[in-house]
Amino acid sequence: MDSTFNNSVADFTRRAPVYSAVKKRRKHHSNIWLFDSPKIKRRFVITGDVAFMHIVLLEGDTLVEGYDPTPDPIYTIVDGETRQTTLDAHVFFKDRRIEWWEFKRLQDTGPSRSGRSKPQLSAQAQAASTAGMAYRVKTDFDLKHREILFDNWLTLCACITRCRTQSIHREMKYLFDRLSQQKSIRFGSLLGETSIDAAQMHAAVASALQAGAITTELKSTRFGYDSMLIRSGS
């Protein structure tokens, strides 16, 4: 079958309902992001900067197998009334734990919170307790000192996405052949080989980092040519 047709089908299945998200937002002053996830191989809409940053950080968390950014609504009884609410994400860990996450600004989570946050968080906590699920409210406070890590994973996700319809087998093999010969290698040194495609090598390294097969410093230093790559377990 024609690869062009395959790519167009893949692009169609990764479309996201942007217009409905804008319409649903109404008068709320929150940014709307369109994100293509390498981890779960889906493109979807994210409302709000706090949610966007937490989702991107999930991409780089090697303890996380995957996540559902559009979970089905749940129902629970609060103060004798049946309430419907929807979590922002269900997070699936490699050790088989599942957590229900809600993203909020810190000022919308405390005892003095008002508006829709108050009944919403109460309903979610009640529903999670009934279902026996761990419930987490992730805020902008949890993002403190993680700005560089976020920037790095935003870049690395883009590297993977640009080559998602291409084979990176050659670059991946070259990466691990080099790492079998030496304990660590400078990322920029991988780009000097004439047979290596630079974009595909970026994607290979990003994919290996996401899988936890290699490591590099991403919390305090921006990823670049001078990043030192180390094979995990070495």
Side-chain angles (χ1 to χ4, degrees):
M1 186 176 289
D2 188 351
S3 61
T4 302
F5 176 78
N6 283 333
N7 291 346
S8 64
V9 170
D11 287 340
F12 179 80
T13 60
R14 294 171 86 103
R15 289 182 180 179
V18 178
Y19 176 75
S20 61
V22 174
K23 186 177 180 181
K24 185 178 179 181
R25 183 180 62 166
R26 297 176 183 173
K27 295 181 180 180
H28 295 290
H29 298 290
S30 54
N31 290 325
I32 292 178
W33 300 91
L34 184 63
F35 182 60
D36 202 310
S37 165
K39 178 162 281 191
I40 64 172
K41 297 178 174 55
R42 283 179 56 188
R43 183 178 296 169
F44 52 92
V45 172
I46 304 172
T47 302
D49 295 343
V50 173
F52 178 55
M53 292 183 72
H54 276 293
I55 288 293
V56 170
L57 289 171
L58 278 175
E59 292 287 322
D61 191 335
T62 56
L63 299 178
V64 173
E65 182 73 31
Y67 58 90
D68 182 358
T70 55
D72 292 332
I74 52 177
Y75 298 86
T76 191
I77 297 176
V78 178
D79 297 330
E81 295 184 10
T82 300
R83 296 184 183 274
Q84 174 185 306
T85 185
T86 304
L87 277 299
D88 284 326
H90 290 175
V91 181
F92 308 102
F93 291 83
K94 290 181 179 178
D95 63 4
R96 299 193 177 182
R97 286 182 297 122
I98 301 175
E99 293 184 357
W100 289 0
W101 285 17
E102 179 69 16
F103 305 119
K104 283 281 186 287
R105 293 282 179 182
L106 184 62
Q107 66 264 25
D108 295 328
T109 64
S112 61
R113 66 182 184 269
S114 58
R116 65 186 293 268
S117 290
K118 188 171 184 177
Q120 180 192 36
L121 297 185
S122 296
Q124 290 176 353
Q126 177 63 41
S129 177
T130 300
M133 291 291 180
Y135 174 60
R136 307 275 185 259
V137 179
K138 297 288 185 174
T139 73
D140 45 329
F141 182 80
D142 299 309
L143 299 168
K144 192 174 182 180
H145 305 309
R146 305 185 78 189
E147 294 86 357
I148 293 177
L149 183 62
F150 163 76
D151 283 345
N152 280 330
W153 276 107
L154 192 61
T155 298
L156 293 166
C157 285
C159 291
I160 298 172
T161 298
R162 290 188 191 103
C163 295
R164 65 181 173 81
T165 60
Q166 303 173 31
S167 171
I168 57 173
H169 175 75
R170 178 183 56 190
E171 284 70 23
M172 193 71 80
K173 183 177 185 302
Y174 181 69
L175 166 64
F176 284 99
D177 282 348
R178 288 284 303 274
L179 282 172
S180 68
Q181 299 167 10
Q182 51 196 111
K183 183 177 180 180
S184 64
I185 53 175
R186 177 177 163 271
F187 172 63
S189 70
L190 297 171
L191 305 176
E193 175 65 40
T194 56
S195 65
I196 295 300
D197 181 277
Q200 291 175 0
M201 180 54 77
H202 275 78
V205 169
S207 297
L209 286 168
Q210 187 177 56
I214 63 174
T215 62
T216 192
E217 176 52 53
L218 295 174
K219 293 180 181 179
S220 60
T221 305
R222 284 184 167 79
F223 180 78
Y225 287 176
D226 290 328
S227 295
M228 297 303 297
L229 308 177
I230 303 171
R231 188 164 189 163
S232 296
S234 60

